[in-house]
Amino acid sequence: MQRAPLSTMVAAATVLICQVTLLMPSYAVPAELAVGWLRNLVWAVNGIAIARLVTHAIDVLFWDRLVARTMGGTVPAILKSIVSVVVYVTATSLIVGIVYEQNVAAFLTALGAGGVVLGLAVRGIFSDLFTGLAVNFDGIVAINDWIQLASRSGPERPLLGRVREIGWRSTQLETEEGTLLIIPNTVLAEDLVTNFTRPTPATRYECSIALDASVPCERAKRILLGAARSLVGSPGFVSDKSPMVLVKGTTEMGVEYLIRYWIQSWNPLSPTAARDAVLSRALQHMAVAGVTPAKAKTEIFHDRIAPARAADITAEGRGQLLAGVQLFASLEEGDRLRLAQELKRIVLPAAETVVRQGSAGDTLYVIAEGALDVFVKTDQSPEPVLVATLGAGDFFGEMSLLTGEPRRATVRVATPAVLYELTRHTVADLIERRPEVADALARAVAERRVGLDAAHRYADVSAKEAAVATISNQLNRLVREFFSRRVRGSAPVAS
Ligand code: CMP
């Protein structure tokens, strides 16, 4: 339990002493204390001390327990202070009326008149006070909201921070840099306030990237949208709002694309960190697709320019695409190029189902552009559950291709995509010529499987390595058995 503040403990002690003093028989105390001014003073002190105890009780029981729990946050100090003032004015009026037997109405009038005079003298303070009140009651800004203040009069840098306290005179903002800004409430009323936490914590941000005009618009949008979509659902990115890619304009560099995405501001990502995530992912997807950001057309290079990656439609480009795929990374370049020549390019619109859980399959897909969702249906969840979103450079369908088992998941196109398809026939040819390739493929698949649930299943690196070795051995047997059947001429069997 929290300890009561010192003022409350002093008030409790004062009430106790006053009560004992007032209960003492008249013959045991000085005459003034029995009936005179001293007795009145003790009553008055007693009354003020009781008022202090009442305000403390209201703070703890009403504001902190009831209101704070119902609102689910911290109660602004200004509300507590106003109720305290009402309690003290009531206590003082009772003392004036009962202890000193004076006219309470006259006392309150005098208090009011004094208040007006004081009010004129301290207009600024009152203005701050009422703005603070308005802010509280309007509910436009609450504690823990992220807000930005922009001066109406000038282009000064906007002030940005998380509301820590709304007080009588000022509102405290904690900035991203870890400093505390104390803003007079009148400034809050005069400035343009943007609240990032209301009406919902989801906020749309955008960033732009320029690509060369030679990249077709449809392709550029597919690559960038795939990148932004593959982040949806990861920490900070809102899962029920889809990103968007729009052409912002053309410049002498090329075409500028606007990527719009939704995040929960500062929870846990700041807008700057979210933009970093989006642009980094966009560059990663562009690299896989062989597209670079637009270069200045007038720039004069004195350095040697690295050769641009071949477009992935050529065999060489496809070889480079496969080199970036974990499953084929350990293959020798000649083997990879041979596989690359057999790849079939497939362009798919959104919402298309590429593989369906439970069906037989003998193809593997490498994603060159776009994003695809992986859904799994289990006995516990008859409705398909989204387990992963795959993006450029990822692959899927390896399980059925390598083992002949039915598809373990349904994979659906989330944003328009370009895939490269590899058939079992091609892989079988390779394994026939180079049986050790089966080891490399089995190990890559085992690593991927273990990696998918590594976060919760494996305590340390050695446990994870042991799991990879076990699964890899099992798979290796399955793969060799399966392909030896095929080599001997029997038809693939889905178990
Ligand atoms: P396959 O079983 O042939 O067909 C469905 C594919 O979905 C499967 O191969 C994997 O490539 C992929 N897949 C299955 N489960 C997951 C998962 N949890 N995360 C990512 N991809 C998966």
Side-chain angles (χ1 to χ4, degrees), residues 33 37 66 75 126 131 147 170 260 272 308 371 390 407 415:
L33 196 51
W37 64 270
L66 196 70
V75 177
F126 271 78
T131 312
I147 61 168
S170 61
R260 289 190 166 158
T272 316
L390 307 175
R407 297 288 190 196
T415 65

Side-chain angles (χ1 to χ4, degrees), residues 15-176:
V15 171
L16 196 70
I17 293 168
C18 290
Q19 290 300 324
V20 171
T21 312
L22 293 168
L23 286 176
M24 282 215 279
S26 54
Y27 59 81
V29 293
E32 286 82 3
L33 196 51
V35 284
W37 64 270
L38 196 52
R39 189 175 181 80
N40 287 349
L41 186 63
V42 173
W43 270 113
V45 170
N46 187 41
I48 297 296
I50 290 177
R52 170 67 199 126
L53 293 183
V54 170
T55 56
H56 181 72
I58 293 176
D59 279 358
V60 173
L61 299 177
F62 180 68
W63 291 123
D64 294 346
R65 294 236 171 114
L66 196 70
V67 180
R69 278 185 201 170
T70 317
M71 280 176 23
T74 319
V75 177
I78 190 170
L79 292 181
K80 293 182 177 178
S81 306
I82 286 170
V83 172
S84 300
V85 167
V86 172
V87 172
Y88 281 114
V89 169
T90 311
T92 316
S93 306
L94 289 174
I95 292 168
V96 167
I98 298 171
V99 180
Y100 290 100
E101 294 172 359
Q102 300 296 317
N103 185 340
V104 177
F107 166 73
L108 288 176
T109 311
L111 197 66
V116 171
V117 173
L118 199 67
L120 285 175
V122 286
R123 270 200 314 279
I125 295 179
F126 271 78
S127 166
D128 284 342
L129 164 66
F130 286 109
T131 312
L133 271 177
V135 166
N136 273 291
F137 285 112
D138 288 352
I140 44 170
V141 172
I143 288 173
N144 284 334
D145 284 1
W146 276 89
I147 61 168
Q148 177 181 282
L149 305 179
S151 167
R152 265 196 253 209
S153 52
E156 299 151 36
R157 196 169 82 98
L159 303 172
L160 176 71
R162 181 185 198 168
V163 178
R164 277 275 162 241
E165 184 58 274
I166 303 170
W168 282 96
R169 294 214 54 199
S170 61
T171 295
Q172 296 176 15
L173 295 191
E174 187 184 336
T175 65
E176 277 186 304

Side-chain angles (χ1 to χ4, degrees), residues 426-449:
T426 310
V427 178
D429 281 346
L430 180 64
I431 291 180
E432 197 177 339
R433 273 185 295 111
R434 305 271 313 272
E436 70 277 11
V437 165
D439 301 346
L441 294 181
R443 178 156 181 102
V445 174
E447 271 174 2
R448 186 186 197 199
R449 257 208 211 173

Side-chain angles (χ1 to χ4, degrees), residues 355 374 387-388 390 396-400 407-409 411 448 452:
V355 302
V374 181
V387 290
L390 307 175
F396 62 92
E398 76 290 352
M399 291 305 309
S400 298
R407 297 288 190 196
R408 289 172 172 247
V411 183
R448 186 186 197 199
L452 287 174

